[in-house]
Amino acid sequence: MAKPDNENVITGSKLAADRTLSADVIIIGTGAGGGTAAEILSAAGLKVVMLEEGGYYQAKDFRMQEAEAYPALYYEVGARKTKDKSITILQGRAVGGSTTVNWTSCFRTPPETLTHWTKTFGVKGYSESEMAPWFERMEKRLNIEPWPIRNPANDVLYRGAKKLGWVVEAIPRNVKACRNLGYCGMGCPVDAKQSMTVTTIPAALANGAVLVTQARAQTLEIKGDRVVAVNAIALKENSVEPSGVKIRIEAPHVVLAGGAINTPGLLLRSKVPDPHERVGKRTFLHVTNVSAAIMPEKIDPFYGAPQSVYSNQFLFRDGVAGKLGYKIEIAPLHPILIAVSTLSFGAEHAQSMARLPHLSAAIALMRDGFHDDSPGGSVSLLSDGSPVLDYPLTDYLWDGIRHSYSSMAEAQFAAGASRVVPVHMDARPDGYASLAETKTAIANLSLKALRTQLFSAHVMGGCAMGEDPKRSVVDSHGKHHQLANLWIFDGSIFPTSVGANPSLTIYATAARQATQLAEIAGGKRKPAS
Amino acid sequence: MTRETISDGALGAKWSNRCHHAIEKRAMHAPTTPSRPEKFGKERRTFLKVGVAGSALLLLGRWLPPAHAADPVGAPQTTFAYLTAADVVALLRIVPIMLEGALPQDRGQQNTAIGEILRGVDLTIGHQALSVRAEIRELFDVLTKSVTRALVAGIWKSWDKVSEQDVRDFLASWRNSRLDMLRTGYIGLNNLIVGSWYGNPRSWARIGYAGPPKII
């Protein structure tokens, strides 16, 4: 499935002998942060080497089959787990990172979030007006525009919210000539999704950048206050086991962009100076719960753009730093995804699955990290050196989750649902017939780990940015506080969660940070717009 | 990867620790009655007290010969990269109950489906991180070593002799357990099995999914 080697692409699993490479800038990770940075830095005339743990897959490889896509394109077959296994994390592991498999929803960072980062975390240069040009630039680059079509699953949320008088808006998506198929999560088979694999990475390769795939950055080699090399190990075809081949890359600048679990993991493995023990702390997930509406009409929730409307009605339900707020969206449902989220067995499971064509699944994304009782999770290392996220589930979080089950059910009944199923192991598998009955059930649900199905598709934080080294890992430009040539351009630098699907926030911050690094690293040409 | 290296791994130890806990609970309460949660301090003290005995039990479990796999009828004639013969015997009993009502009625088609499910489970394990693979190994070891199978899973006969109701009771007891470890084990089994079946196009007609659209 992986793309054959060309002169600029080195497939780690096919390397027979150890390799040494050099560059002006090494970028570890090719997702939203790494891909964006690679284009900008290479366009500035700098020699860039990109390192990616996953394989290089393209449109022709994407056959809209979950059974092929999850093992090939996601960490842990689409089921990366938090330490106690209570939250399932959907995170891409492929060239393009999660941009290869995300559902294409692109939001500007809420202004309330930017203000909170500035006022509470001492981040500089992130006001709404200072960020606006960077959002505009990346919206243009990735063709981000509100998507006008609602599939029946999304229309349920739209109708319900409208009827209740809630705010409800169309979702901007990074697509071009999208055919509204509904398989974004398995890789776009028609190159409509403007992921890093069809935009910035090919551009960087054309600028002379080198891409090493199926290779895992193992450690940063540090001398004094500088990173002098990145030591990586080539992986086998499944991007899991080491092949035995080693890769060493030297460069005057190193950019980390592996996301909020892998980036802190690499820093911890490398024993990077961390005098205030900030690395891996305050990692956020937008912890997500699910409410399934059983609709009288056919919904076919597996077809059509996965996400096209959202409601921010409860995003700031108690202000920015009050009770936990959440964003409501719709999730696409394909057979594996719904099967593994349905934790009954036997006849109950079989009956739940048979309702699939009539389901519309609403999801609530918890805006974690804005309140003292919402410190998020922390990344540490397992004995084999791999990172794991411990994310304690607090009463503060459960309060938001319980509140959101009711809100989602309200919208679903308003849209005409026959029954609503709060997705929880103790809820009736066929749901409840009225809002009152559903609310009573929700009030009585035992909200605890491994009884409540929880998900996340967004990893953020763990290497917070800020001007105070006691509270942050990098400064507002993404430069490491202790090491002079180490940069972090991914979602791990966010001091809290974003409060919206984070891809555009990562694109925009990485574009801004990479533009500055291009100047510092001696880039000659003006970066392309 | 051999069973020995996995069992000796740190993650193996994690599962083992959880097993001590489960064994302790099973010893104190009737196997089918979920125990009440206790305050952490008390739980911790009890845990320390039975820890040594628990370790010995687990060690014994590891040194026992693998569960007897006597070529059961319907066993797929395939070798697996990760599943052992003992795992297959257990899964041949568990899969039809986990997916009761979802598999083809025709005996031959059902056997084919179960064979494909096991292959899917094996492939999934091969794409998991090494640490997760080790945990799955521990899960299957608990299910297939006679001592832990009895004390942790409440299955007192070998898998090839259990009734359908025994399997239902086992799945329900793990699913509804107050112990995180047993619910984790249940969710792991559920996800491996149902994930494998519903990725298979043979499962789709029953649930009204016509598959991906043709791209012209």
Side-chain angles (χ1 to χ4, degrees):
Chain A
M1 249 168 110
K3 183 187 165 145
D5 283 3
N6 68 33
E7 61 182 46
N8 285 353
V9 179
I10 298 169
T11 304
S13 62
K14 292 184 180 159
L15 283 180
D18 292 357
R19 287 285 288 269
T20 303
L21 301 166
S22 63
D24 294 324
V25 184
I26 303 164
I27 301 175
I28 299 172
T30 61
T36 300
E39 177 174 37
I40 290 168
L41 293 164
S42 63
L46 295 164
K47 188 181 176 197
V48 170
V49 171
M50 295 174 267
L51 195 59
E52 170 57 52
E53 192 168 7
Y56 197 169
Y57 302 93
Q58 294 174 307
K60 63 177 163 42
D61 301 315
F62 299 141
R63 298 183 345 118
M64 302 183 279
Q65 296 284 346
E66 291 179 286
E68 293 175 1
Y70 299 158
L73 304 176
Y74 287 80
Y75 278 97
E76 273 72 287
V77 200
R80 198 173 209 182
K81 301 276 187 181
T82 50
K83 193 173 188 180
D84 69 358
K85 311 216 183 300
S86 58
I87 308 173
T88 299
I89 300 169
L90 293 150
Q91 186 180 1
R93 184 199 57 202
V95 171
S98 289
T99 74
T100 301
V101 294
N102 71 16
W103 300 337
T104 71
S105 300
C106 295
F107 297 94
R108 290 192 180 195
T109 322
E112 294 89 341
T113 300
L114 293 173
T115 304
H116 188 75
W117 290 356
T118 305
K119 286 191 176 160
T120 309
F121 292 92
V123 173
K124 275 193 184 153
Y126 279 76
S127 68
E128 196 180 356
S129 60
E130 285 165 303
M131 286 305 292
W134 300 101
F135 290 134
E136 277 163 29
R137 172 179 168 156
M138 292 312 294
E139 284 162 351
K140 193 175 155 199
R141 176 70 184 94
L142 303 177
N143 212 50
I144 296 169
E145 287 174 354
W147 182 249
I149 306 166
R150 293 186 299 274
N151 73 354
N154 278 271
D155 200 54
V156 170
L157 174 58
Y158 182 80
R159 290 199 316 267
K162 279 281 176 202
K163 196 155 181 192
L164 296 167
W166 294 359
V167 290
V168 58
E169 303 280 347
I171 293 184
R173 303 177 62 222
N174 58 321
V175 294
K176 198 181 267 184
C178 171
R179 298 205 208 166
N180 214 28
L181 297 172
Y183 290 78
C184 307
M186 297 166 221
C188 181
V190 294
D191 275 348
K193 188 201 295 189
Q194 300 297 289
S195 68
M196 299 296 99
T197 42
V198 303
T199 55
T200 56
I201 290 169
L205 292 172
N207 291 335
V210 169
L211 168 62
V212 185
T213 68
Q214 293 173 323
R216 183 182 297 145
Q218 201 61 16
T219 52
L220 307 174
E221 197 175 308
I222 299 158
K223 284 217 173 88
D225 71 342
R226 298 184 71 80
V227 180
V228 294
V230 174
N231 291 308
I233 50 173
L235 302 170
K236 293 184 180 173
E237 178 66 23
N238 64 2
S239 288
V240 178
E241 292 111 323
S243 71
V245 169
K246 290 178 184 144
I247 302 160
R248 181 185 161 84
I249 317 172
E250 297 173 356
H253 292 278
V254 176
V255 173
L256 307 188
I261 295 176
N262 303 327
T263 291
L266 177 57
L267 294 177
L268 292 169
R269 273 201 302 278
S270 308
K271 300 188 167 57
V272 163
D274 182 21
H276 306 290
E277 298 186 351
R278 296 319 305 155
V279 172
K281 303 298 193 318
R282 291 184 58 81
T283 303
F284 301 103
L285 288 175
H286 287 154
V287 177
T288 297
N289 57 320
V290 185
S291 177
I294 303 171
M295 302 301 295
E297 72 274 21
K298 217 165 174 216
I299 297 295
D300 285 352
F302 26 78
Y303 299 139
Q307 299 192 309
S308 50
V309 294
Y310 69 100
S311 175
N312 278 357
Q313 182 71 22
F314 302 97
L315 190 60
F316 299 104
R317 67 179 169 117
D318 188 31
V320 175
K323 286 181 185 169
L324 186 51
Y326 48 88
K327 191 179 191 81
I328 300 179
E329 298 174 347
I330 293 293
L333 297 177
H334 292 96
I336 291 182
L337 203 59
I338 180 178
V340 301
S341 310
T342 305
L343 295 179
S344 52
F345 64 88
E348 275 186 6
H349 194 276
Q351 285 157 16
S352 291
M353 291 301 294
R355 293 184 197 106
L356 173 61
H358 288 267
L359 295 184
S360 167
I363 54 176
L365 292 73
M366 299 299 132
R367 188 176 54 83
D368 48 354
F370 291 78
H371 186 281
D372 288 344
D373 293 341
S374 183
S378 58
V379 174
S380 60
L381 298 178
L382 296 175
S383 61
D384 67 358
S386 61
V388 65
L389 172 61
D390 184 16
Y391 193 102
L393 299 166
T394 60
D395 289 343
Y396 176 82
L397 190 75
W398 290 125
D399 173 68
I401 287 169
R402 199 182 298 272
H403 194 275
S404 73
Y405 275 128
S406 283
S407 302
M408 291 189 282
E410 198 172 351
Q412 290 169 324
F413 279 114
S418 320
R419 302 179 76 85
V420 167
V421 190
V423 177
H424 183 286
M425 287 172 76
D426 297 335
R428 271 183 70 114
D430 61 345
Y432 306 91
S434 70
L435 180 59
E437 207 186 324
T438 312
K439 282 193 167 181
T440 304
I442 291 165
N444 291 319
L445 285 177
S446 157
L447 295 185
K448 51 190 276 195
L450 301 159
R451 287 216 83 77
T452 313
Q453 286 92 318
L454 297 176
F455 304 88
S456 167
H458 306 152
V459 288
M460 300 156 287
C463 297
M465 63 176 161
E467 297 304 305
D468 179 0
K470 289 191 179 123
R471 303 176 66 203
S472 53
V473 174
V474 296
D475 68 18
S476 304
H477 302 293
K479 196 188 84 60
H480 194 266
H481 282 307
Q482 281 79 34
L483 298 182
N485 63 337
L486 179 63
W487 306 77
I488 303 181
F489 297 172
D490 64 20
S492 69
I493 64 172
F494 302 154
T496 64
S497 75
V498 172
N501 308 45
S503 60
L504 180 54
T505 305
I506 302 172
Y507 297 136
T509 53
R512 181 190 144 136
Q513 291 165 336
T515 301
Q516 198 206 31
L517 173 57
E519 286 171 29
I520 291 168
K524 297 284 182 267
R525 278 182 284 135
K526 195 173 158 51
S529 61
Chain B
M1 180 169 283
T2 65
R3 174 168 302 207
E4 283 68 32
T5 58
I6 294 163
S7 294
D8 291 337
L11 278 147
K14 195 163 89 183
W15 245 95
S16 306
N17 283 338
R18 294 177 188 170
C19 289
H20 298 164
H21 206 148
I23 289 166
E24 163 209 341
K25 293 286 183 184
R26 289 252 169 223
M28 292 191 305
H29 302 275
T32 49
T33 311
S35 55
R36 302 290 307 168
E38 295 162 61
K39 290 278 178 282
F40 177 73
K42 188 183 172 193
E43 212 169 60
R44 173 105 188 126
R45 281 196 303 278
T46 322
F47 173 80
L48 290 173
K49 208 163 63 187
V50 304
V52 177
S55 296
L57 206 52
L58 250 286
L59 204 60
L60 180 65
R62 281 192 191 140
W63 282 101
L64 290 171
H68 182 57
D71 266 343
V73 182
Q77 301 301 305
T78 325
T79 54
F80 296 100
Y82 302 96
L83 295 175
T84 66
D87 301 341
V88 170
V89 173
L91 283 169
L92 286 174
R93 305 305 299 183
I94 296 169
V95 168
I97 301 303
M98 185 74 84
L99 288 168
E100 199 167 10
L103 295 174
Q105 298 290 313
D106 174 83
R107 187 86 190 168
Q109 283 180 33
Q110 188 172 113
N111 283 342
T112 304
I114 291 169
E116 288 169 353
I117 289 164
L118 297 196
R119 275 200 69 71
V121 169
D122 198 58
L123 281 169
T124 298
I125 297 171
H127 280 88
Q128 283 291 357
L130 301 181
S131 59
V132 179
R133 263 186 232 172
E135 289 179 318
I136 295 171
R137 180 71 264 143
E138 285 286 331
L139 169 63
F140 280 115
D141 282 352
V142 165
L143 290 177
T144 55
K145 297 296 177 77
S146 54
V147 173
T148 48
R149 186 198 66 219
L151 292 175
V152 185
I155 296 277
W156 293 82
K157 303 168 203 156
S158 61
W159 280 104
D160 55 339
K161 295 192 175 65
V162 297
S163 70
E164 292 187 346
Q165 194 53 41
D166 290 338
V167 179
R168 281 185 207 106
D169 291 345
F170 150 68
L171 290 175
S173 75
W174 274 28
R175 183 186 186 277
N176 300 325
S177 173
R178 289 182 177 274
L179 297 179
D180 288 355
M181 182 206 90
L182 298 187
R183 294 203 306 284
T184 305
Y186 169 79
I187 293 167
L189 270 179
N190 168 289
N191 282 196
L192 280 169
I193 293 168
V194 304
S196 178
W197 175 233
Y198 286 102
N200 187 333
R202 290 179 202 274
S203 71
W204 296 344
R206 191 190 70 83
I207 59 170
Y209 175 57
K214 294 261 186 304
I215 295 174
I216 305 144

